[in-house]
Amino acid sequence: HLIPHHELFAEHYLYLPLIGAALALADLGRWAWERYPARAVPMGVTALWLAVLTAMGIRVTVRNLDYRDERTFYETVAAKAPENVRALGNLMYIAMGEQDWNAAVLYCAQMAPRWQPGARDERVALRACVDAARRGEMPVAVERFATQWSAHHPDASGGHRALAEFTFAYGEFERAFD
């Protein structure tokens, strides 16, 4: 970012504040244009400005490729900020929408250690993770996410129910009733 911001992929938050900076630069350019005739500006300065503008144009073009579609955008964010739970969560939901259960569970596994225990977002995501693992027929992942869900949200019944259903399905009746 030109101006550091806490959200890696939210540079659009800065569009409005940058209008002031752009107007100030435009006014500075107008002032310089009126003060110094074109023939008085050294060729090196003109070449430098053209090089800077060209480099900025190329950078904008390359960055626009990151916005090709939603999946590409979040994959780019996750590659640059692997700790970003929001990007991983959005990728998980995209994979679930495409019924790519393996990818969804992989994103869940990357997110699970990063959640704040007890947070509402964690509970909602763990429910989705258990569902993706069930649909993908991955019992180890079902048990892992259901265990985390019930441990981090002991007052919510969903995690306990998912864990009980899992253990009951595998004949662990005593554990299921616990």
Short mmCIF file of all heavy atoms in Angstrom, two decimals, residues 25 36 40 43 48 51 59 89 91 94 97 99 129 146 174:
data_model
loop_
_atom_site.label_atom_id
_atom_site.label_comp_id
_atom_site.label_asym_id
_atom_site.label_seq_id
_atom_site.Cartn_x
_atom_site.Cartn_y
_atom_site.Cartn_z
N LEU A 25 -1.50 16.85 -5.61
CA LEU A 25 -0.47 16.62 -6.63
C LEU A 25 -0.84 17.27 -7.96
O LEU A 25 0.02 17.81 -8.65
CB LEU A 25 -0.25 15.12 -6.83
CG LEU A 25 0.56 14.43 -5.74
CD1 LEU A 25 0.57 12.91 -5.96
CD2 LEU A 25 1.99 14.95 -5.72
N TYR A 36 7.14 27.10 -14.73
CA TYR A 36 8.28 26.72 -15.57
C TYR A 36 7.78 26.36 -16.97
O TYR A 36 7.05 25.38 -17.12
CB TYR A 36 9.04 25.54 -14.98
CG TYR A 36 9.59 25.81 -13.61
CD1 TYR A 36 8.95 25.29 -12.48
CD2 TYR A 36 10.72 26.59 -13.44
CE1 TYR A 36 9.44 25.55 -11.22
CE2 TYR A 36 11.22 26.86 -12.17
CZ TYR A 36 10.57 26.33 -11.06
OH TYR A 36 11.05 26.60 -9.82
N ALA A 40 11.97 24.82 -20.18
CA ALA A 40 12.88 25.01 -19.04
C ALA A 40 13.02 23.74 -18.19
O ALA A 40 13.89 23.67 -17.35
CB ALA A 40 12.39 26.16 -18.17
N MET A 43 15.37 17.52 -19.48
CA MET A 43 14.92 16.28 -20.11
C MET A 43 14.95 15.11 -19.12
O MET A 43 14.09 14.24 -19.16
CB MET A 43 15.79 15.98 -21.33
CG MET A 43 15.25 14.82 -22.14
SD MET A 43 13.55 15.15 -22.61
CE MET A 43 13.59 14.62 -24.26
N LEU A 48 12.24 10.92 -16.06
CA LEU A 48 11.98 10.29 -14.76
C LEU A 48 10.49 10.18 -14.51
O LEU A 48 9.99 9.13 -14.10
CB LEU A 48 12.67 11.08 -13.64
CG LEU A 48 12.42 10.55 -12.23
CD1 LEU A 48 13.01 9.16 -12.08
CD2 LEU A 48 12.98 11.50 -11.20
N ALA A 51 9.02 7.52 -16.67
CA ALA A 51 9.38 6.19 -16.15
C ALA A 51 8.52 5.83 -14.94
O ALA A 51 8.03 4.70 -14.81
CB ALA A 51 10.86 6.14 -15.79
N ARG A 59 2.19 -1.67 -12.81
CA ARG A 59 1.81 -2.24 -11.51
C ARG A 59 0.30 -2.33 -11.36
O ARG A 59 -0.23 -3.32 -10.87
CB ARG A 59 2.42 -1.38 -10.38
CG ARG A 59 2.11 -1.87 -9.01
CD ARG A 59 2.75 -3.24 -8.76
NE ARG A 59 2.31 -3.75 -7.48
CZ ARG A 59 1.62 -4.87 -7.32
NH1 ARG A 59 1.34 -5.64 -8.34
NH2 ARG A 59 1.24 -5.25 -6.14
N GLY A 89 -11.12 -18.46 4.92
CA GLY A 89 -12.54 -18.77 5.09
C GLY A 89 -13.33 -18.57 3.82
O GLY A 89 -14.18 -19.38 3.45
N LEU A 91 -12.12 -18.75 0.81
CA LEU A 91 -11.72 -19.84 -0.08
C LEU A 91 -12.44 -21.14 0.30
O LEU A 91 -12.84 -21.91 -0.58
CB LEU A 91 -10.21 -20.03 -0.05
CG LEU A 91 -9.41 -18.99 -0.83
CD1 LEU A 91 -7.93 -19.09 -0.50
CD2 LEU A 91 -9.64 -19.13 -2.32
N ILE A 94 -15.95 -20.87 -1.03
CA ILE A 94 -15.92 -21.01 -2.50
C ILE A 94 -15.77 -22.48 -2.87
O ILE A 94 -16.49 -22.99 -3.73
CB ILE A 94 -14.78 -20.16 -3.11
CG1 ILE A 94 -15.09 -18.67 -2.98
CG2 ILE A 94 -14.55 -20.54 -4.57
CD1 ILE A 94 -13.92 -17.76 -3.30
N GLY A 97 -18.95 -24.31 -2.26
CA GLY A 97 -19.93 -24.01 -3.31
C GLY A 97 -19.66 -24.80 -4.58
O GLY A 97 -20.58 -25.14 -5.32
N GLN A 99 -18.38 -27.75 -4.46
CA GLN A 99 -18.39 -29.14 -3.97
C GLN A 99 -17.00 -29.78 -4.06
O GLN A 99 -16.88 -30.98 -4.30
CB GLN A 99 -19.44 -29.97 -4.69
CG GLN A 99 -20.84 -29.45 -4.44
CD GLN A 99 -21.91 -30.31 -5.06
OE1 GLN A 99 -21.65 -31.26 -5.78
NE2 GLN A 99 -23.15 -29.99 -4.76
N CYS A 129 -17.00 -26.62 8.39
CA CYS A 129 -15.88 -27.57 8.24
C CYS A 129 -16.34 -29.00 8.50
O CYS A 129 -15.96 -29.93 7.77
CB CYS A 129 -14.74 -27.20 9.19
SG CYS A 129 -13.89 -25.67 8.74
N ALA A 146 -15.18 -31.46 14.85
CA ALA A 146 -16.26 -31.61 15.84
C ALA A 146 -15.71 -31.52 17.26
O ALA A 146 -16.33 -30.93 18.14
CB ALA A 146 -16.99 -32.93 15.63
N GLU A 174 -20.04 -45.75 24.03
CA GLU A 174 -19.81 -45.14 25.33
C GLU A 174 -19.33 -43.68 25.17
O GLU A 174 -19.81 -42.78 25.85
CB GLU A 174 -18.76 -45.93 26.11
CG GLU A 174 -18.58 -45.45 27.54
CD GLU A 174 -17.63 -46.34 28.32
OE1 GLU A 174 -17.66 -47.56 28.15
OE2 GLU A 174 -16.85 -45.76 29.10
#
